[in-house]
Amino acid sequence: MKADGRLKLDRIGGFPWNMIEGENCTVHVANTGKTHSGTILVHQTSCHVYKEAGTVERTQDNMEVRLDEKVTNEKETRALGIEVGDFVSFDPRTIVTDTGFIKSRHLDDKVSAAILLNLLRVYKEEQIQLPVTTTFAFSVFEEVGHGANSSIPAEVVEYLAVDMGAMGDDQATDEYTVSICVKDASGPYHYEFRQHLVALAKAQEIPYKLDIYPFYGSDASAAMSAGAEVKHALLGAGIESSHSYERTHLDSVVATERMVDAYLKSDLVD
């Protein structure tokens, strides 16, 4: 808490500070269970006061939460029950356009979670029996590094991370296909597993792209780093502007769901 009653932040996950500037947010107060709204801003915001408002580097020292409360000092902010360690969430601002685009924060990795939940619903309602024992896991730790690297059932031999495809210069990934990862910052993914996914995509005419994500890690790569004895692969919908105000298209979501469904209904990699 700052002397003027505003809040300083510490990041969880990887995003530059400028990617959250101007974002409305919610402070979740652990002590009271209440929430308080606010806005994330650089301290030198007013161009009528700060000559460097547009050029100052956005850092942890000058980014802050402007609370929507009548607070002017640290004591008044603490009186709200706010304390170090309280979480701050960003408003997702989710929009689905008439042209099929989905714009929101946290599409990495809400899109894949929605795909898996929808497949589970379909399998239950249609009483579909998968060919091998399959475990679905939803991790909330991937962005902090250790991912779903523990509690992996002993019988697991294949580990498919359903995450996102990173877009940008020199990337093959787009917003209209499923992206299958060849390699990321952790190293290459299992070759035969990857080729198995490619063969399924070709056989079922699922539009796909192969790609390398240079600054990226997944739950599967975290499991490998922890010593898991599994074959690992990674795929996901193409997400534009990852960790900022993200976007994808329904075509990519559908292609990714078809890819996961095809894999789950296939035999194990030899």
Side-chain angles (χ1 to χ4, degrees):
M1 273 153 281
K2 301 179 69 174
D4 61 1
R6 296 191 178 190
L7 308 176
K8 292 182 69 173
L9 295 165
D10 196 29
R11 289 179 295 187
I12 298 176
F15 57 86
W17 288 106
N18 64 290
M19 289 187 176
I20 62 170
E21 183 177 2
E23 194 67 82
N24 288 324
C25 64
T26 301
V27 180
H28 303 265
V29 183
N31 286 335
T32 65
K34 295 181 179 180
T35 60
H36 299 277
S37 65
T39 307
I40 300 171
L41 299 166
V42 67
H43 179 75
Q44 301 91 333
T45 297
S46 176
C47 60
H48 295 294
V49 177
Y50 301 101
K51 183 178 180 180
E52 73 277 19
T55 58
V56 65
E57 182 182 1
R58 274 59 175 165
T59 69
Q60 189 170 35
D61 291 330
N62 62 15
M63 295 297 292
E64 59 192 23
V65 176
R66 179 186 66 192
L67 290 167
D68 298 327
E69 301 287 347
K70 290 185 176 180
V71 293
T72 58
N73 55 60
E74 179 183 351
K75 183 178 179 180
E76 291 172 344
T77 297
R78 287 189 179 276
L80 298 173
I82 295 174
E83 188 51 86
V84 174
D86 287 342
F87 281 81
V88 177
S89 59
F90 312 148
D91 287 359
R93 294 186 287 131
T94 303
I95 296 172
V96 181
T97 72
D98 293 338
T99 52
F101 287 99
I102 305 168
K103 302 190 292 185
S104 179
R105 284 199 172 273
H106 320 306
L107 293 179
D108 170 20
D109 201 24
K110 291 191 297 186
V111 166
S112 291
I115 287 171
L116 295 180
L117 288 169
N118 188 58
L119 286 173
L120 284 168
R121 178 187 61 81
V122 171
Y123 294 160
K124 180 179 180 181
E125 291 178 357
E126 299 182 6
Q127 297 183 328
I128 294 173
Q129 184 72 38
L130 297 178
V132 297
T133 300
T134 304
T135 299
F136 286 71
F138 296 85
S139 166
V140 295
F141 299 114
E142 188 263 328
E143 287 297 340
V144 294
H146 52 86
N149 64 359
S150 63
S151 304
I152 302 171
E155 64 267 26
V156 170
V157 295
E158 293 177 5
Y159 190 132
L160 176 64
V162 187
D163 203 311
M164 60 150 278
M167 294 176 56
D169 293 343
D170 298 325
Q171 297 297 117
T173 300
D174 60 32
E175 296 173 272
Y176 315 110
T177 61
V178 58
S179 181
I180 301 173
C181 182
V182 175
K183 176 182 179 291
D184 65 13
S186 70
Y189 282 75
H190 192 275
Y191 180 79
E192 284 78 13
F193 198 167
R194 183 246 291 185
Q195 290 299 89
H196 177 61
L197 295 173
V198 170
L200 290 171
K202 290 179 177 178
Q204 300 201 23
E205 298 183 339
I206 301 170
Y208 75 95
K209 295 289 178 65
L210 295 174
D211 214 345
I212 292 171
Y213 315 144
F215 310 110
Y216 187 112
S218 72
D219 285 315
S221 58
M224 298 301 290
S225 296
E229 292 287 345
V230 294
K231 301 173 183 177
H232 71 315
L234 165 65
L235 58 78
I239 304 295
E240 210 279 325
S241 299
S242 61
H243 289 198
S244 185
Y245 188 48
E246 300 168 344
R247 192 182 79 166
T248 190
H249 194 276
L250 288 170
D251 288 351
S252 187
V253 178
V254 171
T256 303
E257 182 168 298
R258 289 182 62 201
M259 187 75 256
V260 176
D261 182 56
Y263 165 69
L264 292 173
K265 292 175 179 175
S266 69
D267 294 328
L268 293 174
V269 177
D270 292 335

